Amino acid sequence: TDLIFSLNVRNATSIGTGAFRNCKKIAVVDAGSASKIGAYAFEGCTNMIQISLCNSLTSIENYTFYGTGLQNVVLPDGLQSIGDSAFASSKLESLTIPASVNYIDCYAFESNRNLSTVYCMPATPPSVGTDYDDGDRYWDAFDGCAAGCMIYVPQSSLDSYKSASYWKEYKDKMVGYSF
């Protein structure tokens, strides 16, 4: 059957590694109480277009939402880190990174060809993961995103972003914004 459905795991405190991996029948997920979501949990859920996340979620693990149909994501306020390829190869068009994020790993948003708007709210530019082979080359967290992708950062931090490691590569695509 081709039934697409909503998944309510609102009462779950955690979602295990690979729990719904490649489940093509999920469209909407309410994970409003899950303070832990394992790596690969929703990888390959190509019809998943919406997720509600818990504010106590502090980390999005590697490949958690890789290859999903998610288009517009507002990450929860308590989030601190975003793992390797966490949202890579998805359908993102817009993304809001909360002020609490301090680390974004390699390839986190890679190959989101429609990603045109990123609201990056941290006052201090988050650290970005480096090449695992030699440790001295930054791998592009936004590689393969829309050519015209704009990154909105706090107005008071615009100069910091434009001179920070990794972020300075996007200085021509940055705009100061009042959040």
Side-chain angles (χ1 to χ4, degrees):
T1 180
D2 292 335
L3 180 66
I4 304 291
F5 64 91
S6 294
L7 176 65
N8 185 338
V9 287
R10 188 158 194 56
N11 294 325
T13 57
S14 69
I15 298 171
T17 299
F20 299 100
R21 189 178 203 177
N22 294 319
C23 183
K24 308 290 189 232
K25 298 182 184 270
I26 296 174
V28 176
V29 177
D30 183 348
S33 295
S35 58
K36 173 145 178 48
I37 300 175
Y40 303 93
F42 294 99
E43 179 200 9
C45 295
T46 55
N47 291 307
M48 187 170 119
I49 58 170
Q50 183 179 344
I51 181 108
S52 297
L53 298 168
C54 180
N55 279 339
S56 64
L57 182 68
T58 59
S59 176
I60 294 179
E61 303 296 323
N62 297 346
Y63 294 88
T64 300
F65 299 104
Y66 181 95
T68 65
L70 291 171
Q71 295 175 339
N72 303 300
V73 173
V74 176
L75 298 172
D77 286 334
L79 190 67
Q80 296 172 14
S81 66
I82 301 168
D84 179 3
S85 303
F87 290 90
S89 297
S90 292
K91 305 279 190 235
L92 289 179
E93 295 173 3
S94 71
L95 169 69
T96 300
I97 300 171
S100 53
V101 170
N102 56 42
Y103 182 74
I104 300 172
D105 209 346
C106 307
Y107 313 115
F109 306 102
E110 177 189 42
S111 297
N112 278 277
R113 307 225 182 280
N114 297 321
L115 183 59
S116 60
T117 307
V118 176
Y119 295 100
C120 191
M121 300 171 72
T124 301
S127 298
V128 177
T130 58
D131 180 16
Y132 293 118
D133 294 331
D134 61 25
D136 66 354
R137 185 172 147 213
Y138 289 96
W139 283 99
D140 196 344
F142 296 100
D143 184 47
C145 293
C149 183
M150 295 301 295
I151 301 174
Y152 297 86
V153 300
Q155 182 67 49
S156 60
S157 301
L158 182 59
D159 290 339
S160 295
Y161 273 86
K162 285 187 173 189
S163 63
S165 293
Y166 175 78
W167 294 99
K168 64 185 173 187
E169 303 302 319
Y170 287 97
K171 65 183 173 194
D172 295 335
K173 296 181 176 217
M174 280 187 198
V175 175
Y177 191 80
S178 296
F179 292 105

